[in-house]
Structures are given as structure tokens and as C-alpha cells.
Amino acid sequence: MSVSGASSFAPQDMGAKTTKTTPPFHPKISPSEEVKTMAPDPVAADVVVTNKSSAHTTADDLGLTDREKEQSCGWGRFTPACLQCCNNANGVLLFLCLFSFTQGVIVNGLVNVSITSIETRFELPSSNTGIVSASYDIAFVVLALFVTFHAGQGNSKPKWLAFGSFSLGLGALIYSLPHFTTGPYVYGTGQTETCDIGGNSTSQDCSSGSTGTGLRNYLYVFILGQLLHGVGGTPLYTLGTTFLDENVEKTNSGMYIGLFYAASTLGPAAGYLIGGQFLNIYTDIDLGRTGDGLTDADPRWVGAWWIGFLMCTFLAWSITIPLLGYPKELPGAAEIKANKESEAHVKGGADVASQPDFGKSWRDFPIAVKILLLNPTFMFVSLAGAFEGFLTSGLATFGPKFVEMQFSQTSGWAAMLCGFVVVPGAAGGNILGGVIMKFMKLKCRGMLRLCIILGGVCLALYLVFLVQCPNIPFAGVTQRYTNSSVDPIVSGLNLTSQCNTDCTCQEEYYTPTCGADGMQYFSPCHAGCTVLTDTDGTKRYHNCTCIFYDSVASLADTIQGKCESTCSTMPVFLAMFFAIMLLTFANNPLATGATLRCVPYNQQGFSLGVQNIFGRLIGSIPGPVILGAILDSSCVLWGESCGETGSCLQYDNQHMGYSLLALMLSVKTVACILFMAAYMSYTPPPSVGMVKTMTQTTLTRMESTAEIAVIST
């Protein structure tokens, strides 16, 4: 009888007949020890794992040579001994962390940083770039079920991961291609900064924005690049997590998953840092152009957004090679599977999913989906995670804008402050959750209980959004001009007053200017300033007719930039926001662990695929859209370009804070209720202890009778 397909143990000399016999004595392995080290594979029902000290000496006797070759690290027949030191869970964790780091750099870092530059360079409206951003999640939703079910049929997860890494690099390469297939960047003539009484104001050149230029057609190239990014990310957070869990002891699983998720949170920080530095370089630097006459503060400036994508292309492809070398199953995985206890929900379809041939055919696909959808614990955890993702994705997108507007910070400094808070909080939270799982040795019910507790604490911490700062007086927007009787709060927005009527100021370019009277102006021209001086890079404007300082007009000056806020509550907000991120991301490994425990063993990868679909359809896709719409509802000043409404330039801080607080409390409450429902609906396997897997039960029975069958070679 051959090893493959064997369902019972047959002696070597009896053909297909099975007899009870004692195992042959080996001088290095006692009979009792050999029985303990031989474990049938729960998937293929094959036996045999030996301890490392006797792997080579007993390979021929036990018929493990072919299996050992299958579990070697290498490419084809090239499996050098020096590579085997990486053929373990630690090696897999290293390359998965590099993979998730690279994915975070590209998708959550470089893409977000480059959006503004791409809009300017290729004349794309924000609605189109929103489609580009959503393309990643769309690809994930389309492919997740196929990838996870195909891998669950016994196909190699490392091969899928290698394919994902290659696709990620290819997407980054395609995303950078528009830079090389277009000509040099041609920018307009700019704007008149100061008041030129009786002169002609330079208007924005709108002719280049016509569709005849063909630049907007590059939208489809960016969408294709993002779709490939989604193809690359699909196996990473489904099969990668499952492959780790399959090859480590259950007590260590939380730690490994926490480190894996922590690496993914460091990627966006690196992406923002690297991408931000490249944006200080002119986009056509490869053509020897430096953008003479422009500075990075000019709204026409386009930085070298494409360099980071090229770098990440080669980084992603370099990870593909080692991932291709990993076997379908790591050495020792059979022992780990045999020793694990099933915690699947009692009515979660474990009896059907545990059938040896289940999941080997696509005809089982509808049944596999039905099993998960009818598992109440899995569904409640998945929906709770989706609502958590709704909040985290929205805050990641608009958190910097909230800090910028509430506390009157520059956009760059606000992004850095949020990075300093979010990245350590997210990374630390994932590690914290993993450490708690390891040292408290939590089972499924304990993980769900802790998710509820952490969610309740976060719910209280969200009250920090009541910490607000009053709006800085904005002439013509939130407060009337000093020499005007028109109140914009009563009669509506009015940037024109008697003091700047003859200046013919533009409203296409927003150049915030802080007057000596403590009021903010739309631009130096709107402040009535006629003289500009530039001292050490600091622009000052003089003879400003709209500013009264010490009751004397025209003697005061302004400084380019927003007025500094006297509000001192920002440190309190950032400290509480860090705590929110820490506890929110601490739920990640806990919820993932609960998901993997409450479903049948051979459905773990597929369950993560289904769960991620819920997370994107309910969470990360609509989250930023809805949160952005709520922010837009508090806008009091919109930018305009060529007659079209642009982005919001000024928000009502109080309205913004209250709106966000109401949304977050509502969504977080729903998430907590769903975690409670998961906890209450979960029914562990019967009896005091957990029901062991079929493989471990078989081994126990074999040990109790001290009898074993020998596989024919």
C-alpha cells in the first residue's frame, strides 16, 4: 500500500492487510518515544514525523524521504543546507513582515502622499483620485474568496504569497509609468500676490485642463496599478496569517500575528517619510529640470512622486524569490496540528468541514460559504471588525486634516504629528494584543471577552473629540472685515470689502495670510497689501489697507501663513488619540485569533478571506467616503478652480468636532454590541476540555494500546 491515500497502517510484508504489531526497535529511539513522534497528517491522513535527531537515520525505515524533500526550503531540486535555517516559522515571519511593510509603504503611504501631486500633474479631479484609492479594495473583494478557497484545496500558500509580492511590485511599476510616458511638466503663469490697484489680475490658465490634452486618460493606468496592488495584498492578509497560525504553537500564535500586523503599520510611516522627501524634489529631475521660479509652497509645484514607486518595485520583487522557496508545509507542522485542540463553534459546521475530501472540489464552494455564514460567532466577529475598520480607515485618511483645522497647524506638520501618534499606537497595539494572548493563554471566549473590554474603554476615550479649539477669526468668512458692517455669518461668505474692492484679487489661489490684528485673510491681496518683502525666505506684506493695528490703517503688515492658535489643548488630544489607537489595534490579533478558533481548522484561510470582504465592503471602502462627507458638511469656505468647486479650505471647528464624535460613538457602540453578541453566541466544544483534532485522537488511541501499524513503502 502506498503512503499517499492510505487511511490505515499496513505492515510491509502483508500487502493491503493490516495487522497489529510492535514497531521495530531502533537503538536511538525507544519504542514509546517513536510512537509519540509519529503523527498522521490531519489533511492527507499520512503518518510520520520524527524528531530532528533521528530524521536522517530513520528516513528509509519509516518511508519519509520524499516527505522530507517536499518540506525542504529551496527552488526545485536546488535545496542547499544553508537555506534550511530559514525553513521555520521565524523565517516565514521575517519575509511576511517585509512583505507587509512594503505593501504598507506603497498602498497606505506613497499612494496617499502622491495624490495631490498626481491631481496637479495629470489634471485629475478629486473624485477620480478617489476611484484610484478604492481600486485596491475592489480587487481585494473580487479575489479574496477565490484565492483563499483555492489555497484551502491543498495548494501551496507560499506560492500564492510569492505571486502576491510579484503583483505588488508590478503594480508599483505600472503606477509610475505615466511619468515616463508624458512630456515635461508645463505649469501656468501663477497669481498676483499683492494688491495692484488699477492693474489687471493674472487669472488661472484653464485651457490646459481640457480633455484634449489626453492627460486625464492616465487615470486608467493608475487604476490598473492599484488593482494590481490589491491582487498583491489579497493573499498577504488572508493566507499569510493562516500560514503563520498553522506552523506555530497555539500559545505563540497571537505573538506571531501581532508582530506581523505591527510590521504592516510601520510601512505607512515609512511611506509618508520617504514620499514626503521625494516631493521636495521637482518631478522632472530625471530630465535635468529643477522647476525654476517655483518653490514647494507654490500650488503649481509637482514633486518627484514616482521615485518611491520604482524603489518599492524592486523591493517587492526581491521578496518574491525567498517566498517561492518555502514548501507547502513547514517541517514539524504535522506535530503542531496534531497537538492543537479544536475550539470551533459547536454548530459551526465542523462535522461537514472535517470530512477528508471536503474543500478539494469547487463544488464544495457554496457549502463552505454557507458554513461560515451560518456560524453566528464568526459573523458577529466579522461584522464587529468591519465597523472597527470603518473608523480606523476614516481616521487614517482624515485625522491629519482634523488636527490641521482644529489646532491651526500646517498640513505637513499635522501629518507628521498624526504619524508620530498613529504609527507607534498601531504597532504597539498589535504587539500588546499578541503579548496578552501569549501570556494569558487565552482561548476563544477569553479573546472575545477582552475585545469587549477594550472596545468599552475606547468608547469612553472617544469623548476626547469634545476637546476643541475656537476658529481663528477669518475676514469675510467667520468675521466681518474691520472697516465693514457686513457680517458673513448673517449675510453669507463675502471676501470682498471696501478696502480691497479695487485690488481685483483672485480667488483661485488660496494663500492664507495672518495680519498683525490677529485676523486671517484669504490672501495678501484680500488684506489690501501693496508691498512685498522677502527676508530669509519669510514673506512679509506691508501697506495693508484692510488691517487696522492700534487704530491706524495701512501701517500694519502681514505674514504669509495661517495665524497661530492660542489654544493649548492639542497635547491632550494627541495623548488621548494615541490611547485610542493603542487599544483599537490591540483588538486586531485578538479578533483574528477568535476568528481562527471559532471556525473549522481547514476553513481558517477561507474564513479570513470572507471576513476581509466584510471589512472592505462595510469598513474601509465606505468609511473614508462617509467620514469625508460629514467633514464637508462643516465646511464654510470652498476653493474654486476654473469655475468648479475644489477642496474645502476652512471648516467650522465646533461643527466638525461634534459631527465626528456622534459618528464615532455610534459606530463604536455597534462594534461593541457585535462583540458581545459573538461572545454570547459562542458555544465551545462539549465537555470540560476541548475536543481534540482527529489526528491527536488517533495518536492517543494508539498510545493507549501500545500498538501501531507500519506503513508499507
Side-chain angles (χ1 to χ4, degrees):
M1 182 180 294
S2 62
V3 175
S4 60
S7 59
S8 61
F9 304 115
Q12 207 169 9
D13 57 347
M14 297 294 292
K17 184 178 179 181
T18 302
T19 60
K20 297 179 180 179
T21 179
T22 57
F25 174 75
H26 191 280
K28 293 185 179 181
I29 308 178
S30 66
S32 60
E33 181 182 357
E34 189 171 7
V35 171
K36 293 178 181 179
T37 58
M38 296 177 61
D41 186 336
V43 177
D46 295 337
V47 192
V48 213
V49 176
T50 61
N51 59 31
K52 295 181 180 178
S53 62
S54 59
H56 297 292
T57 58
T58 62
D60 293 334
D61 296 335
L62 299 178
L64 295 180
T65 303
D66 292 339
R67 186 172 182 81
E68 287 183 344
K69 288 182 179 180
E70 291 176 358
Q71 292 182 342
S72 297
C73 183
W75 303 272
R77 296 184 178 180
F78 181 66
T79 56
C82 60
L83 294 180
Q84 306 316 311
C85 63
C86 298
N87 195 21
N88 50 52
N90 292 334
V92 172
L93 177 64
L94 172 64
F95 291 112
L96 285 181
C97 285
L98 290 175
F99 188 0
S100 64
F101 175 82
T102 306
Q103 184 268 350
V105 170
I106 296 174
V107 177
N108 299 318
L110 295 177
V111 170
N112 293 339
V113 167
S114 63
I115 284 294
T116 302
S117 295
I118 289 175
E119 287 179 355
T120 304
R121 177 67 180 88
F122 297 95
E123 301 165 4
L124 297 174
S126 297
S127 58
N128 285 354
T129 54
I131 297 174
V132 173
S133 298
S135 298
Y136 174 87
D137 292 313
I138 292 173
F140 199 108
V141 168
V142 172
L143 294 175
L145 292 181
F146 169 78
V147 171
T148 52
F149 189 82
H150 183 269
Q153 292 177 317
N155 296 293
S156 175
K157 293 181 178 68
K159 298 299 185 292
W160 267 111
L161 291 168
F163 172 75
S165 180
F166 177 80
S167 299
L168 185 71
L170 181 61
L173 178 63
I174 291 178
Y175 205 90
S176 66
L177 283 182
H179 170 76
F180 301 99
T181 56
T182 54
Y185 173 49
V186 179
Y187 45 87
T189 57
Q191 78 271 28
T192 301
E193 295 183 60
T194 57
C195 174
D196 184 13
I197 299 177
N200 293 321
S201 176
T202 305
S203 60
Q204 185 179 13
D205 182 10
C206 298
S207 60
S208 61
S210 63
T211 56
T213 62
L215 289 177
R216 290 193 177 185
N217 292 330
Y218 282 100
L219 167 69
Y220 305 105
V221 179
F222 292 121
I223 290 177
L224 176 61
Q226 271 290 76
L227 288 173
L228 287 172
H229 292 159
V231 172
T234 300
L236 175 60
Y237 293 109
T238 53
L239 303 182
T241 307
T242 308
F243 193 62
L244 273 179
D245 184 71
E246 290 173 350
N247 290 281
V248 297
E249 296 290 346
K250 187 164 63 175
T251 55
N252 295 327
S253 176
M255 176 66 75
Y256 276 77
I257 293 175
L259 290 173
F260 172 50
Y261 284 162
S264 68
T265 61
L266 297 177
Y272 272 92
L273 179 62
I274 296 171
Q277 293 300 315
F278 286 140
L279 291 183
N280 293 328
I281 304 173
Y282 187 65
T283 184
D284 290 329
I285 188 66
D286 57 322
L287 301 179
R289 296 171 178 261
T290 58
D292 294 335
L294 289 182
T295 65
D296 55 4
D298 194 294
R300 297 167 294 162
W301 174 270
V302 174
W305 57 271
W306 48 273
I307 299 179
F309 290 98
L310 282 183
M311 293 174 56
C312 288
T313 294
F314 298 104
L315 179 59
W317 284 350
S318 67
I319 302 171
T320 302
I321 299 173
L323 287 176
L324 277 173
Y326 276 99
K328 181 169 62 175
E329 183 181 75
L330 296 182
E335 288 183 0
I336 293 174
K337 292 178 183 178
N339 291 325
K340 284 187 175 180
E341 299 173 336
S342 173
E343 298 180 50
H345 179 66
V346 167
K347 297 181 181 180
D351 52 340
V352 177
S354 61
Q355 298 297 322
D357 295 330
F358 181 78
K360 303 299 181 183
S361 170
W362 283 98
R363 288 178 298 180
D364 296 328
F365 181 83
I367 302 176
V369 175
K370 181 180 178 180
I371 289 174
L372 293 178
L373 295 182
L374 293 180
N375 186 331
T377 305
F378 168 77
M379 288 299 298
F380 286 135
V381 171
S382 299
L383 291 174
F387 280 97
E388 293 275 8
F390 181 99
L391 291 179
T392 54
S393 61
L395 288 176
T397 304
F398 296 106
K401 175 169 283 189
F402 181 85
V403 173
E404 175 187 353
M405 296 300 175
Q406 276 287 342
F407 306 107
S408 298
Q409 304 295 315
T410 63
S411 58
W413 182 239
M416 291 188 66
L417 287 174
C418 286
F420 292 150
V421 170
V422 172
V423 173
N430 281 303
I431 296 175
L432 176 64
V435 169
I436 293 175
M437 289 175 62
K438 176 178 174 61
F439 288 100
M440 295 185 65
K441 298 181 180 180
L442 296 176
K443 295 185 180 297
C444 184
R445 187 178 290 276
M447 297 175 193
L448 294 173
R449 185 185 300 115
L450 195 55
C451 285
I452 298 171
I453 295 173
L454 294 179
V457 176
C458 275
L459 190 62
L461 291 177
Y462 273 122
L463 295 176
V464 72
F465 281 88
L466 291 174
V467 176
Q468 302 169 4
C469 291
N471 284 96
I472 293 176
F474 199 133
V477 179
T478 62
Q479 190 165 323
R480 63 182 180 85
Y481 281 87
T482 304
N483 57 350
S484 174
S485 59
V486 179
D487 189 347
I489 297 179
V490 177
S491 50
L493 178 70
N494 186 11
L495 295 176
T496 303
S497 181
Q498 295 178 353
C499 59
N500 60 22
T501 302
D502 297 330
C503 295
T504 59
C505 301
Q506 304 172 67
E507 295 185 6
E508 291 94 344
Y509 296 107
Y510 176 50
T511 311
T513 306
C514 183
D517 55 357
M519 189 178 296
Q520 188 167 303
Y521 295 85
F522 188 88
S523 71
C525 181
H526 287 84
C529 304
T530 58
V531 179
L532 164 65
T533 59
D534 192 338
T535 306
D536 297 330
T538 301
K539 291 184 177 181
R540 292 182 177 273
Y541 303 89
H542 309 278
N543 296 335
C544 305
T545 57
C546 294
I547 300 176
F548 280 73
Y549 186 67
D550 290 338
S551 302
V552 180
S554 303
L555 297 180
D557 59 5
T558 65
I559 300 177
Q560 186 176 12
K562 295 181 179 179
C563 294
E564 294 186 4
S565 175
T566 57
C567 182
S568 59
T569 58
M570 186 173 70
V572 176
F573 174 83
L574 293 178
M576 299 291 282
F577 194 58
F578 170 81
I580 290 174
M581 292 294 103
L582 184 74
L583 298 181
T584 298
F585 281 90
N587 261 354
N588 270 2
L590 293 168
T592 302
T595 300
L596 296 175
R597 302 292 173 262
C598 74
V599 299
Y601 185 82
N602 60 350
Q603 276 203 305
Q604 290 182 343
F606 187 58
S607 68
L608 291 181
V610 175
Q611 188 175 79
N612 275 274
I613 289 178
F614 282 116
R616 278 157 174 77
L617 290 179
I618 300 176
S620 58
I621 292 179
V625 176
I626 295 176
L627 204 66
I630 290 178
L631 288 179
D632 286 345
S633 67
S634 62
C635 183
V636 293
L637 176 62
W638 289 93
E640 292 187 4
S641 178
C642 296
E644 297 183 359
T645 301
S647 59
C648 183
L649 305 178
Q650 185 68 30
Y651 293 89
D652 182 335
N653 286 353
Q654 187 179 56
H655 186 275
M656 177 196 294
Y658 288 150
S659 299
L660 287 180
L661 177 62
L663 175 69
M664 292 176 185
L665 289 179
S666 302
V667 175
K668 193 68 176 181
T669 299
V670 173
C672 290
I673 292 175
L674 289 169
F675 275 126
M676 291 180 186
Y679 177 81
M680 297 174 64
S681 66
Y682 175 68
T683 304
S687 186
V688 178
M690 297 297 177
V691 178
K692 295 184 177 181
T693 61
M694 180 174 61
T695 303
Q696 183 64 23
T697 304
T698 302
L699 284 179
T700 303
R701 185 167 58 250
M702 291 163 60
E703 292 175 4
S704 65
T705 59
E707 296 173 343
I708 186 171
V710 180
I711 300 178
S712 61
T713 54

